[in-house]
Amino acid sequence: MCTFNEIRNTRYEIRNIMLTIGILALQGAFLEHAAKVRQLGVEAVEVRKPEQLEGLAALILPGGESTAMGLVAERWGLVEPLREWVRSGKPVWGTCAGMILLADRAVGQKQGGQPLIGGLDVTVNRNYFGRQSKSFETLLEVPLLGAEPCPAIFIRAPAIIEAGSQVEVLARTAGHDEIVIVAVRQGNILATAFHPELTADLRWHQLFLDMVAG
Ligand code: GLN
């Protein structure tokens, strides 16, 4: 007899090696991401040092505060290893602050700028939704995830205001006077401006694990 989790595990095994997903755990909502990944039957570990990236199948950069995360990453020697991770095409998913870190360009940065990892050919506005209301929940149409709309929680959230031609837009929502992009994929990079780890909907984590398992 096979349990639900065993079936899931089989799905995310490659050549009998269990996949392990790293969650950058410098600051922010890393525990919630780890819980979702484990709920899908996949191992998750916290990453705070460059050597902890070794052997991981994929990496999640959580939401929180991108300036704080960038500064800690710089202090702990993680910025270059993370850039190398993205450059080499290994799967990575950034949510909210994590999405900002993955952007090639950001506006609304702290004075003096902030370290970005880059790799995703977009321009983000760091606190796009922050000025309007600090936090809100909405439903997003995401054709890639099926007909049922996705609940999405935005917390001082960024938006993508410009995306390169290689970027696949997965979801948009109403911004101030325009429609803005809030979820994208580019190769092995997934980015969401909101927090899928804070809702009961597992489809974003499922999508990322499917990208990882190839
Ligand atoms: N706007 C925040 C930042 O600049 C991100 C907010 C979040 O991750 N919830 O980092």
Side-chain angles (χ1 to χ4, degrees):
M1 256 262 292
C2 221
T3 66
F4 178 72
N5 265 347
E6 281 165 354
I7 294 165
R8 288 279 190 210
N9 285 346
T10 315
R11 197 165 157 202
Y12 294 120
E13 259 176 48
I14 294 178
R15 279 174 254 117
N16 297 325
I17 301 166
M18 268 300 293
L19 300 180
T20 303
I21 310 294
I23 323 276
L24 189 68
L26 305 180
Q27 188 265 339
F30 53 87
L31 291 174
E32 293 83 351
H33 266 300
K36 291 283 185 221
V37 168
R38 290 181 189 130
Q39 222 176 315
L40 289 167
V42 173
E43 201 165 321
V45 295
E46 295 173 9
V47 172
R48 294 188 181 82
K49 297 178 188 160
E51 56 268 30
Q52 291 170 328
L53 291 169
E54 227 162 277
L56 297 178
L59 193 61
I60 297 180
L61 313 180
E65 182 57 47
S66 60
T67 40
M69 249 183 249
L71 288 174
V72 179
E74 209 165 47
R75 195 165 311 150
W76 292 1
L78 267 163
V79 173
E80 243 342 286
L82 290 174
R83 283 188 184 138
E84 183 48 37
W85 178 283
V86 178
R87 252 198 312 266
S88 68
K90 292 184 185 160
V92 60
W93 175 17
T95 58
C96 206
M99 179 180 95
I100 298 170
L101 292 176
L102 287 175
D104 278 341
R105 300 166 295 278
V107 298
Q109 297 191 50
K110 279 246 167 82
Q111 235 179 0
Q114 63 187 91
L116 297 177
I117 296 161
L120 182 60
D121 183 16
V122 300
T123 305
V124 295
N125 183 329
R126 222 190 109 214
N127 284 312
Y128 181 88
F129 292 103
R131 281 165 283 146
Q132 187 185 322
S133 62
K134 283 196 162 31
S135 157
F136 65 96
E137 189 168 354
T138 189
L139 286 171
L140 299 175
E141 299 291 338
V142 189
L144 186 67
L145 297 184
E148 197 173 321
C150 281
I153 298 176
F154 290 78
I155 304 169
R156 289 177 297 105
I160 292 175
I161 52 172
E162 188 189 69
S165 59
Q166 299 308 303
V167 177
E168 181 190 0
V169 175
L170 303 181
R172 294 181 161 88
T173 197
H176 301 298
D177 299 308
E178 70 227 304
I179 302 291
V180 286
I181 300 168
V182 290
V184 294
R185 189 160 65 163
Q186 178 193 321
N188 268 338
I189 305 176
L190 179 66
T192 49
F194 46 92
H195 288 262
E197 77 285 10
L198 300 182
T199 62
D201 194 331
L202 282 168
R203 284 178 291 169
W204 288 101
H205 287 81
Q206 187 89 63
L207 170 70
F208 185 57
L209 292 180
D210 286 344
M211 282 169 60
V212 177

